[in-house]
Amino acid sequence: MNGILPLYKERGMTSNDCVFKCRKIFKTKRVGHSGTLDPNVDGVLPICVGKATKVVNYLMDSGKVYIGEITLGFATTTEDLEGEIVAEQKLAKKISVEEIDEAMRALTGELIQIPPMYSAIKVNGRRLYEYARAGEEVERPRRRVSVTYFKQTNSSEFDNERGQQKIYFEVGCGKGTYVRTLAADLGKKLGVPAVMSDLTRLSSGGFTIGQAVKLDDLKEEAAKGGLEKQLFPIDHALKKFPHHTLTEVQWGIVKNGGFLIPKYLHDEKRPTIVLMYKNQAKALYCFNQEKERYQPEQMIDLTEGEI
């Protein structure tokens, strides 16, 4: 089987746990996910099965939407509730809606983020969380990320006794954005320590949470022989690219990794195109301006396919 599964990742599981379980259900090692979700976060986790693993990166490039909660008044080592408290400050009064909105607007667009120490990013061959657990300091790489919007979804709540305030939010962002870092940075904009206290991913890879399937339901479908109908076609990850349906002659060239000339594709020399044959995505070709030809960027499926 080949295709993309919009999985609903439940809390308490790692993304790799989900991949491991899907390998057993689909009875194949060729399974990968497109964008890690922390164990304490639930929501949409697109899973690529079989030849769809070749388009994982294209799924990861799509935007993501999250809803969650930020608590003002303390900060942790992990920037969420899993870490140890490293800073506390009781709020004397509730921060206004206008102040929060202004700080959120300042955290949209192209941003530079410094990822948390407790993250899977590699530095000198080791993941940051490995340095953190060993009590070692290391310079973290600055990352350019994109935040489309960051807004409040409900009235914030102020706990006068604890001196804490909860903000309810929704954020649309691009690849590589750490929402818990965004929460911590919002606190800095407001002049108080902050932590991400709840998070759910609503959409990823063009899938919404309403389309996502739980692992238990997937097991039931497997028992009934209905696994294949849970998979979306590989082409779902490639919808943003222009498509071209290959002739028999062109398919003969493509399956051998050959080049294609734009005029025979009736094409306007677009940077990347998806090549289709018998209703299946077979390859992505990119345009080489210097040599005036299309050449392979990613081969996906070189079998003949079905009409």
Side-chain angles (χ1 to χ4, degrees), residues 69 78 88 119 121 123 133 146 159 178 183 185 192 238 264 277 291 295 301:
E69 173 191 284
T78 57
E88 287 186 271
S119 61
I121 294 171
V123 175
R133 288 170 183 169
S146 176
D159 186 326
Y178 276 92
D185 288 344
V192 296
L238 309 172
Y264 295 122
Y277 181 69
K291 297 183 178 179
Q295 57 195 43
D301 184 355

Side-chain angles (χ1 to χ4, degrees), residues 156-227:
S156 63
E157 297 178 2
F158 184 67
D159 186 326
N160 190 57
E161 186 177 334
R162 292 186 175 183
Q164 295 177 359
Q165 185 170 341
K166 291 188 183 298
I167 296 170
Y168 303 98
F169 72 92
E170 180 177 319
V171 62
C173 56
K175 177 182 177 181
T177 306
Y178 276 92
V179 181
R180 50 194 163 114
T181 298
L182 199 62
D185 288 344
L186 180 67
K188 291 171 185 174
K189 292 283 184 187
L190 296 169
V192 296
V195 67
M196 186 191 76
S197 44
D198 190 68
L199 192 66
T200 295
R201 186 192 276 167
L202 290 184
S203 70
S204 177
F207 298 105
T208 65
I209 200 164
Q211 296 171 292
V213 181
K214 291 185 177 181
L215 278 169
D216 286 345
D217 294 333
L218 198 62
K219 290 173 186 175
E220 287 183 15
E221 289 297 329
K224 295 186 293 186
L227 269 183

Side-chain angles (χ1 to χ4, degrees), residues 58 205-207 211 232 234-243 274:
Y58 300 99
F207 298 105
Q211 296 171 292
F232 283 72
I234 294 172
D235 190 44
H236 179 90
L238 309 172
K239 290 189 295 185
K240 70 176 182 179
F241 299 110
H243 287 49
V274 179

Side-chain angles (χ1 to χ4, degrees), residues 70 122 150 165 217 244 261 285:
I70 297 167
K122 283 188 175 182
F150 188 20
Q165 185 170 341
D217 294 333
H244 172 78
I261 306 303
Y285 267 43

Side-chain angles (χ1 to χ4, degrees), residues 43-265:
V44 185
L45 180 66
I47 298 284
C48 294
V49 179
K51 291 173 181 175
T53 53
K54 295 181 179 181
V55 299
V56 165
N57 288 338
Y58 300 99
L59 273 178
M60 291 179 70
D61 285 340
S62 68
K64 299 174 178 63
V65 175
Y66 299 85
I67 56 169
E69 173 191 284
I70 297 167
T71 301
L72 306 179
F74 69 98
T76 69
T77 52
T78 57
E79 299 178 345
D80 60 17
L81 297 182
E82 296 295 301
E84 298 177 3
I85 294 175
V86 291
E88 287 186 271
Q89 179 185 329
K90 291 186 78 170
L91 278 65
K93 62 178 182 178
K94 185 176 183 178
I95 298 175
S96 71
V97 172
E98 293 75 19
E99 286 180 272
I100 296 169
D101 284 344
E102 185 179 348
M104 285 181 157
R105 283 193 295 270
L107 290 170
T108 60
E110 297 294 316
L111 305 175
I112 299 296
Q113 273 193 342
I114 299 176
M117 278 299 296
Y118 284 87
S119 61
I121 294 171
K122 283 188 175 182
V123 175
N124 299 325
R126 292 174 63 192
R127 300 195 183 277
L128 283 177
Y129 63 72
E130 294 174 332
Y131 289 104
R133 288 170 183 169
E136 300 174 26
E137 285 291 329
V138 65
E139 186 175 351
R140 289 171 279 171
R142 297 163 67 87
R143 291 157 60 101
R144 186 175 295 277
V145 299
S146 176
V147 177
T148 309
Y149 67 89
F150 188 20
K151 66 181 183 180
Q152 296 186 76
T153 56
N154 214 332
S155 300
S156 63
E157 297 178 2
F158 184 67
D159 186 326
N160 190 57
E161 186 177 334
R162 292 186 175 183
Q164 295 177 359
Q165 185 170 341
K166 291 188 183 298
I167 296 170
Y168 303 98
F169 72 92
E170 180 177 319
V171 62
C173 56
K175 177 182 177 181
T177 306
Y178 276 92
V179 181
R180 50 194 163 114
T181 298
L182 199 62
D185 288 344
L186 180 67
K188 291 171 185 174
K189 292 283 184 187
L190 296 169
V192 296
V195 67
M196 186 191 76
S197 44
D198 190 68
L199 192 66
T200 295
R201 186 192 276 167
L202 290 184
S203 70
S204 177
F207 298 105
T208 65
I209 200 164
Q211 296 171 292
V213 181
K214 291 185 177 181
L215 278 169
D216 286 345
D217 294 333
L218 198 62
K219 290 173 186 175
E220 287 183 15
E221 289 297 329
K224 295 186 293 186
L227 269 183
E228 196 158 5
K229 68 181 183 182
Q230 302 300 318
L231 295 176
F232 283 72
I234 294 172
D235 190 44
H236 179 90
L238 309 172
K239 290 189 295 185
K240 70 176 182 179
F241 299 110
H243 287 49
H244 172 78
T245 299
L246 297 168
T247 64
E248 290 288 340
V249 172
Q250 290 168 348
W251 168 235
I253 295 170
V254 168
K255 68 182 177 182
N256 289 301
F259 307 125
L260 295 174
I261 306 303
K263 70 176 181 179
Y264 295 122
L265 302 182

